[in-house]
């Protein structure tokens, strides 16, 4: 049984007036529509990240300023999603980018918002499959409609004209609709990233996201030592 995220209606997305036998939209209806349109997208938090938290390792070892900025974002998750504001984590392998991005995605889901999470190679693989089924436009519409789109490993996919165009189409559509994205990339240098995913895509992401650089060593090595 569906429930109202705001605790106002009976979960149907409508408020009924028995006296006049009329109905009007509940304030939760836009979120309900977004969740319905997001069905079939990859919204599941992987097992490895289901218990991540600000007060647990490895987050306790990540750059404190970046963690604080992420915590501020999460504390205003609804306002940030409504405004289309996102976060852009960048840094070397193992510095905590995906962990922090997962915390944001979990916060969105816990707030009753729709979210989808992909690695860029995985997302592009999913898009490729839609050409065989004729569902390409439907997938792109759902990727635009979801409240939060989390994409890992931007710049990791081999550059081809098709990859560049698909990525730009997704980012630009979300930019125009003021939909938030959370992304991670290992590429720190802006010129290199522009060469990898085009300057116009980087420009959109720069406007949409707060950039949070992460430096330091690979925290996965700490787990091996422990």
């Amino acid at each position: 049984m569906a429930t109202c995220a705001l605790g106002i209606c009976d979960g149907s997305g409508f408020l009924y007036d028995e006296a006049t036998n009329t109905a009007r939209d509940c304030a939760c209806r836009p979120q309900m529509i977004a969740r319905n349109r997001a069905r079939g997208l990859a919204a599941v938090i992987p097992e490895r990240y289901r218990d991540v938290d600000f007060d647990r390792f490895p987050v306790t070892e990540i750059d404190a300023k970046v963690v604080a900025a992420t915590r501020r974002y999460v504390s205003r998750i609804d306002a940030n999603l409504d405004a289309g504001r996102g976060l852009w984590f960048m840094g070397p392998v193992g510095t905590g980018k995906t962990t922090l991005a997962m915390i944001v995605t979990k916060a969105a889901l816990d707030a009753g918002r729709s979210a989808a999470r992909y690695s860029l190679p995985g997302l592009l693989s999913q898009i490729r499959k839609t050409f065989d089924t004729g569902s390409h436009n439907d997938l792109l519409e759902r990727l635009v409609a979801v409240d939060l789109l989390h994409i890992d490993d931007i710049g990791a996919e081999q550059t081809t004209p098709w990859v560049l165009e698909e990525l730009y189409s997704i980012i630009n559509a979300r930019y125009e609709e003021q939909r938030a994205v959370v992304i991670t990339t290992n590429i720190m240098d802006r010129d290199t990233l522009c060469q990898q995913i085009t300057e116009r895509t980087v420009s959109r992401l720069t406007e949409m996201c707060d950039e949070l650089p992460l430096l330091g060593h690979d925290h996965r090595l700490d787990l091996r030592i422990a």
Side-chain angles (χ1 to χ4, degrees):
M1 178 69 70
T3 57
C4 176
L6 305 177
I8 301 174
C9 72
D10 60 3
S12 66
F14 296 100
L15 296 172
Y16 296 95
D17 187 333
E18 294 183 0
T20 60
N21 196 30
T22 58
R24 58 186 173 86
D25 288 354
C26 176
C28 76
R29 185 159 175 75
Q31 293 182 21
M32 180 179 295
I33 292 172
R35 286 197 300 272
N36 288 338
R37 295 186 69 183
R39 286 177 180 171
L41 300 181
V44 177
I45 301 294
E47 182 67 31
R48 181 178 295 275
Y49 296 98
R50 288 181 186 173
D51 293 327
V52 293
D53 187 83
F54 286 114
D55 299 319
R56 295 181 179 177
F57 180 88
V59 180
T60 51
E61 302 300 317
I62 297 174
D63 186 305
K65 291 182 179 179
V66 175
V67 172
T70 307
R71 192 188 289 269
R72 286 193 299 271
Y73 182 93
V74 166
S75 71
R76 302 184 68 251
I77 189 70
D78 280 318
N80 282 313
L81 295 182
D82 290 341
R85 293 301 306 166
L87 295 177
W88 180 352
F89 297 100
M90 57 185 71
V93 172
T95 51
K97 303 182 300 298
T98 296
T99 297
L100 292 177
M102 287 293 182
I103 287 179
V104 175
T105 301
K106 283 181 59 180
L109 292 171
D110 289 345
R113 307 299 290 262
S114 58
R117 178 261 169 183
Y118 293 91
S119 68
L120 182 59
L123 175 58
L124 294 172
S125 176
Q126 186 75 16
I127 292 173
R128 288 187 184 99
K129 293 177 183 178
T130 65
F131 286 100
D132 296 329
T133 61
S135 58
H136 180 255
N137 289 338
D138 177 64
L139 176 60
L140 291 184
E141 287 178 2
R142 286 185 288 137
L143 288 170
V144 174
V146 71
D147 290 323
L148 178 68
L149 181 60
H150 168 179
I151 308 178
D152 278 316
D153 300 325
I154 291 280
E157 181 76 5
Q158 182 178 359
T159 301
T160 67
W162 180 83
V163 167
L164 296 176
E165 193 57 37
E166 288 296 321
L167 178 59
Y168 177 74
S169 294
I170 295 168
I171 298 302
N172 185 61
R174 292 190 66 81
Y175 170 82
E176 291 179 344
E177 295 299 323
Q178 291 188 301
R179 298 287 188 177
V181 297
V182 170
I183 62 172
T184 71
T185 180
N186 295 340
I187 302 174
M188 298 283 289
D189 181 72
R190 183 182 179 86
D191 290 339
T192 301
L193 190 60
C194 286
Q195 293 174 11
Q196 187 71 10
I197 65 172
T198 75
E199 185 174 359
R200 61 180 182 165
T201 299
V202 173
S203 177
R204 289 286 190 271
L205 291 172
T206 300
E207 187 171 342
M208 297 166 72
C209 301
D210 294 332
E211 299 179 19
L212 298 175
L214 282 162
L215 303 175
H217 70 286
D218 188 339
H219 294 297
R220 296 187 184 97
L221 296 178
D222 297 335
L223 293 175
R224 290 185 183 180
I225 293 172

